[in-house]
Amino acid sequence: MAHDRQTVSGSGIVNLIAGVAATGGLLFGYDTGIISAALLQITTDFGLGTLGQQVVTSAIVAGALGGCLVAAPLSDRLGRRYMIMFAALVFIVGTLVASFSPGETILVCARFILGLAVGMCSQIVPVYIAEIAPREKRGQMVVLFQLAVVFGILVSFIAGYLCRHYSWRLMFGLGIVPAVILFVGMSVLPRSPRWLAMKGNMEGAFEVLRRLRSNPQAARAELDSIIAMHDEQAPWSALLQPWVRPAVVASVGVALFCQITGINAVLYYAPTIFAGVGFGESSALLTSIAIGVAMVISTAFGSWAVDAWGRRRLLLRLVPGAAVSLMVLAIMFGIGSTSGINTWITAAAVVSYAIFNVGSLSVAIWLVGAEVYPLSCRSKGMSLVAATHWTADLLISLTTLSLVQALGAAGTFWMYAALNVAAFVFVWRYVPETRGRSLEEIETALKAGTFNKLT
């Protein structure tokens, strides 16, 4: 722990820790979003057919699914901080290989490597931030990860637009900057105090908490509550225990609904939607940037609301707005009119849907997953959450166009509207309010069988 004692300290250290760690989210967003612009050039350079384009695009999702599962046992063994540093190295390697890829096969491998890093970050960064942050700021700080994700997506849209007359290799290469920042930044930050305590290093855990909290007494009280839980690393089978099941249902359910309510399908289809209702092609591409800005603003709002309103209340207040927006979108496509005011109604429905959905479910997914599990199986539980997210993302990516062909655009949006209504019902029934409670208090509620009664 000598190295940790020499690291940066001060009253703003928790904010600094969350900010540096959330850089992993920026990489997550940038590397998943940049392919939309880069693929236009890659298709020409490598002569890709439809299958080739899909494989290059989806390779990062396949890698992410593997990365989030590998990260759990490694982060329990090596620690949260070292795993984030390792993920940053994987980002650097993947970025370099992608930028210098001589052909389709190497590029697919590079995208898979980047996916491994994305998956690792989606699993471990929220856990690290949750285990570092004080209870009263935990929501805002964990959601900073999601804010970084949507900001990374926005940056990728802007970079893709600005670099459209340059090589796609530059688009990929720009990702190395935040990757280096993440690696260097994490190298001077402390380890998770809860991971240190789980490893039996109580002195090290107290030293970290003492630097992170307002006074030594607060640090000692928090460490005592951690010790009182007597948590040790648990196997994957621990997630099947009846007392842990409510946490699994709540977190996996939110992760599943985050994807199947249609956010990626709508975002992927957004330029086509705008072009179809009368916007020019260039204007349609620029609207992606407008949606990116809306996503950043709604996520910033969500990062405030999870602590001001609460996780559950945020979801219950915003998800209905997403459902109504999709209903309006479905009606507009059902009417089939693409002129006059209908053009702007359709555009407004797409943007408002992105705001309501991203500001609620996309904000809550990593936060709920990071805080509802007991320490003994928190990293494995978060892996399950991330795996659910990436599996559903892969499913949506592979079925969106088929759904539009089978049901029509209007039918597809009606289906997603119904799924948003189902998400509201699920949250009402299974997602408790965890605002203002320590991770140990949440664990106590699980053990006492009162988890679903938290309000």
Side-chain angles (χ1 to χ4, degrees):
M1 282 298 298
H3 174 72
D4 286 334
R5 291 193 187 102
Q6 295 170 358
T7 58
V8 64
S9 62
S11 59
I13 186 174
V14 175
N15 293 325
L16 176 63
I17 290 169
V20 171
T23 307
L26 191 150
L27 283 160
F28 175 158
Y30 185 86
D31 284 316
T32 53
I34 195 63
I35 191 64
S36 62
L39 196 60
L40 297 173
Q41 298 181 17
I42 294 170
T43 300
T44 302
D45 286 0
F46 293 162
L48 299 181
T50 301
L51 178 61
Q53 293 177 50
Q54 291 177 338
V55 170
V56 168
T57 301
S58 61
I60 196 168
V61 180
L65 182 57
C68 69
L69 295 174
V70 168
L74 290 177
S75 68
D76 279 344
R77 186 174 298 115
L78 303 176
R80 314 330 190 189
R81 186 185 70 170
Y82 286 155
M83 274 307 299
I84 297 174
M85 291 174 65
F86 177 68
L89 286 177
V90 176
F91 268 121
I92 292 170
V93 171
T95 298
L96 290 173
V97 175
S99 299
F100 294 100
S101 294
E104 176 184 352
T105 302
I106 300 299
L107 181 58
V108 169
C109 292
R111 295 278 294 167
F112 183 83
I113 292 170
L114 285 169
L116 290 174
V118 166
M120 285 188 279
C121 279
S122 69
Q123 186 273 338
I124 202 59
V125 171
V127 170
Y128 175 75
I129 297 175
E131 293 184 347
I132 286 281
R135 71 178 76 179
E136 65 274 9
K137 298 179 69 176
R138 188 176 65 243
Q140 181 181 358
M141 290 186 171
V142 175
V143 174
L144 184 62
F145 173 76
Q146 177 63 20
L147 180 59
V149 171
V150 295
F151 183 71
I153 293 172
L154 174 58
V155 170
S156 75
F157 289 162
I158 295 172
Y161 184 78
L162 295 178
C163 297
R164 66 190 184 281
H165 299 309
Y166 300 94
S167 173
W168 56 268
R169 300 180 189 275
L170 176 61
M171 298 181 192
F172 284 133
L174 291 173
I176 202 166
V177 177
V180 171
I181 292 173
L182 179 63
F183 180 82
V184 174
M186 289 304 303
S187 70
V188 298
L189 295 182
R191 297 186 183 187
S192 161
R194 287 172 170 81
W195 179 82
L196 290 168
M198 186 168 64
K199 287 295 187 179
N201 187 351
M202 302 306 170
E203 179 186 352
F206 176 71
E207 179 66 18
V208 173
L209 285 170
R210 187 182 64 78
R211 290 172 45 214
L212 297 178
R213 301 300 179 250
S214 57
N215 56 65
Q217 290 75 26
R220 175 56 64 184
E222 187 167 341
L223 180 60
D224 289 343
S225 68
I226 295 171
I227 295 172
M229 303 310 297
H230 300 294
D231 280 320
E232 297 178 354
Q233 288 177 216
W236 282 96
S237 58
L239 296 176
L240 300 176
Q241 296 177 95
W243 69 277
V244 180
R245 191 174 301 139
V248 175
V249 171
S251 61
V252 171
V254 170
L256 184 62
F257 276 111
C258 179
Q259 288 296 313
I260 67 172
T261 47
I263 185 60
N264 279 344
V266 170
L267 291 180
Y268 296 156
Y269 198 51
T272 306
I273 292 172
F274 284 112
V277 297
F279 287 84
E281 184 175 336
S282 179
S283 297
L285 287 173
L286 282 173
T287 56
S288 295
I289 296 178
I291 291 177
V293 171
M295 289 168 60
V296 170
I297 293 172
S298 62
T299 304
F301 171 80
S303 71
W304 167 83
V306 288
D307 285 328
W309 291 357
R311 289 70 156 141
R312 172 184 167 88
R313 293 179 186 88
L314 173 66
L315 290 168
L316 293 177
R317 290 176 181 178
L318 263 63
V319 169
V324 171
S325 298
L326 285 173
M327 291 175 187
V328 172
L329 198 59
I331 290 171
M332 288 297 101
F333 272 85
I335 293 173
S337 176
T338 60
S339 62
I341 193 172
N342 287 343
T343 298
W344 295 101
I345 292 175
T346 302
V350 173
V351 174
S352 63
Y353 165 72
I355 290 173
F356 285 119
N357 187 282
V358 171
S360 57
L361 288 165
S362 295
V363 162
I365 173 176
W366 308 115
L367 175 57
V368 172
E371 66 183 6
V372 298
Y373 289 99
L375 177 60
S376 59
C377 56
R378 184 171 296 139
S379 65
K380 294 181 176 66
M382 193 61 190
S383 279
L384 184 60
V385 170
T388 301
H389 170 273
W390 291 113
T391 301
D393 187 8
L394 188 60
L395 177 66
I396 293 297
S397 300
L398 294 174
T399 60
T400 296
L401 293 179
S402 298
L403 280 171
V404 172
Q405 290 174 352
L407 303 177
T412 301
F413 293 132
W414 276 118
M415 182 194 74
Y416 284 134
L419 287 170
N420 275 269
V421 173
F424 177 87
V425 174
F426 175 84
V427 171
W428 181 270
R429 176 67 181 84
Y430 294 107
V431 180
E433 185 54 73
T434 52
R435 178 185 66 152
R437 291 179 169 84
S438 71
L439 299 177
E440 289 67 42
E441 287 172 343
I442 296 170
E443 183 171 344
T444 298
L446 276 171
K447 290 180 177 177
T450 59
F451 176 78
N452 284 328
K453 297 177 181 178
L454 296 175
T455 57

